[in-house]
Amino acid sequence: MIGQQIHDLATRLWPINRSLTGEGVRETLRILQEYLPDLTIHEIPTGEQVFDWTVPKEWHVNEAWIKGPDGSTFCDFSQCNLHLVGYSTPISARMPLAQLQEHLYSLPDQPLAIPYVTSYYKERWGFCITQQERDRLTEGEYEVHVDSRLFDGALSYGELLIPGDSTEEIFLSTYICHPSMANNELSGPVVATYLARWIASLPKRRYSYRVVFIPETIGSIAYLSCNLDVLKSRVVGGFNITCVGDDRAYSYLPSRAGDTQSDRIAQHVLGSIDPYFARYGWNDRGSDERQYCAPHVDLPIASIMRTKYGMYEEYHTSLDNLTDVVTPAGLQGGYEALRRALEAFERNCYPNVTVMCEPQMGKRGLYPTLSAKGSGDAVRLMMNVISWSDGRRSLLEIAALCHVPVWDLYPIIDKLAENGLVTLLDHPA
């Protein structure tokens, strides 16, 4: 089952400390290159201006921990990389509990969870701790140690270009900047990796594909600043891939325009898989669709997700794991939904019937030659497809009119085309 293979890759990537920049991002990309040999790694140096932002310094951590008055160690970065606030500056000091408390972060409503906290653009240090452990801290002197560095380096990202018959592109983006969290982080890049492998395996591709693995927000802004003109001239659809690993729900978040082909395909695919899928609006955005659909950028990018970020209680905590939240079955569902959507891009067309009135199907071996009750039921869908094939309606629209998933029409439309009964137009007649 491909879901298990995707889960295995997530398990391999789990321990790596990823952030906006640093060796963890590069290590992740090097592992992904084993699965995607044509993936290229690019770097943008610290300090480079990217639209209204500046590429930050690189961050590296050797170790970080706290020792209590009794000498016991807790909040050990080597045990869980969520314990250290992202981009923490170095410190080695002793302090009383009251002073330490000013640098601790916990979630009273989730006493067993280690929260995910970052301080990318203001220098500070801090540790994340479960509320349960925090409540057990006693008065006394604590030793705090953070062996980290902030230095001029680079922001790294991966890019894969898969050529097709057309220079028009489908754009897929996912992020690789979070430490050990499963649905919010790892589900995106691992599902995107296996989608890219599937795309590359296709014997024929109508579109070209651009797949990027980037740090969230600053990565998409930096990528757009380097590639905006090309993207605006070539990209005809695509998806931001995140939160595609649990098995609780399916979700859709639209592009800012709300009526792109990506939006129509996403809603059709999810409606065919789960009619109760969660629909969100543009005001519910929160990932890199904010950049791809920003004013004056306006790429046709939507999101197909399982449970949306921020909508499950384990979000941005250590509870977002590879056992209770993300499962092989959940990853398989996310992968299949996106694969169906990409297949819909590839197969969508405007069928145009080539004969006047109903064609004589029997002489082509496409209709029962003996008319009896029930004999036409097997080909009713085929006849419905023909009746809607006027060259003005897309295959996606015809599927909706026939009340079936678009993939049910692929073998029918292939058979009709093979028999010369329809021509498949790229654009409406």
Side-chain angles (χ1 to χ4, degrees), residues 109-152:
D109 294 339
Q110 292 179 282
L112 300 180
I114 303 168
Y116 170 57
V117 179
T118 63
S119 184
Y120 295 136
Y121 298 104
K122 180 176 174 58
E123 291 195 358
R124 56 162 56 90
W125 64 270
F127 284 86
C128 299
I129 186 172
T130 68
Q131 186 64 44
Q132 185 181 78
E133 189 168 24
R134 189 174 189 173
D135 290 341
R136 291 200 295 259
L137 298 180
T138 59
E139 295 295 332
E141 187 176 69
Y142 288 78
E143 182 181 359
V144 176
H145 178 70
V146 178
D147 182 3
S148 65
R149 289 193 303 138
L150 284 166
F151 56 96
D152 287 347

Side-chain angles (χ1 to χ4, degrees), residues 51 224 228 231-232 256 291-300:
F51 296 141
L224 285 167
L228 182 58
L231 294 173
K232 284 182 73 69
R256 189 168 71 96
Q291 318 310 331
Y292 298 133
C293 300
H296 313 304
V297 177
D298 283 319
L299 297 178

Side-chain angles (χ1 to χ4, degrees), residues 331-346:
L331 289 164
Q332 176 115 12
Y335 168 85
E336 291 293 349
L338 282 156
R339 186 186 65 80
R340 292 287 195 190
L342 297 180
E343 193 176 36
F345 269 112
E346 286 286 318

Side-chain angles (χ1 to χ4, degrees), residues 16-26 28 56-61 85-88 116-120 150 155-156 175-179 185 214-216 218:
I16 300 172
N17 184 47
R18 284 169 293 275
S19 188
L20 292 185
T21 61
E23 185 56 30
V25 173
R26 287 189 284 270
T28 299
K57 291 184 176 182
E58 197 162 317
W59 183 55
H60 177 76
V61 183
V85 170
Y87 266 58
S88 280
Y116 170 57
V117 179
T118 63
S119 184
Y120 295 136
L150 284 166
L155 180 152
S156 307
Y175 50 84
I176 49 168
C177 59
H178 291 63
E185 166 72 358
I214 56 175
E216 194 175 24
I218 185 62

Side-chain angles (χ1 to χ4, degrees), residues 162-166 198-209 346:
I162 306 173
D165 292 339
S166 170
W198 171 76
I199 293 164
S201 73
L202 296 175
K204 183 177 177 61
R205 287 177 293 275
R206 176 180 177 182
Y207 294 104
S208 296
Y209 289 80
E346 286 286 318

Side-chain angles (χ1 to χ4, degrees), residues 363-381:
K363 70 181 183 182
R364 296 175 173 87
L366 299 176
Y367 200 89
T369 56
L370 182 64
S371 179
K373 185 178 179 179
S375 62
D377 291 349
V379 292
R380 180 169 298 278
L381 180 56

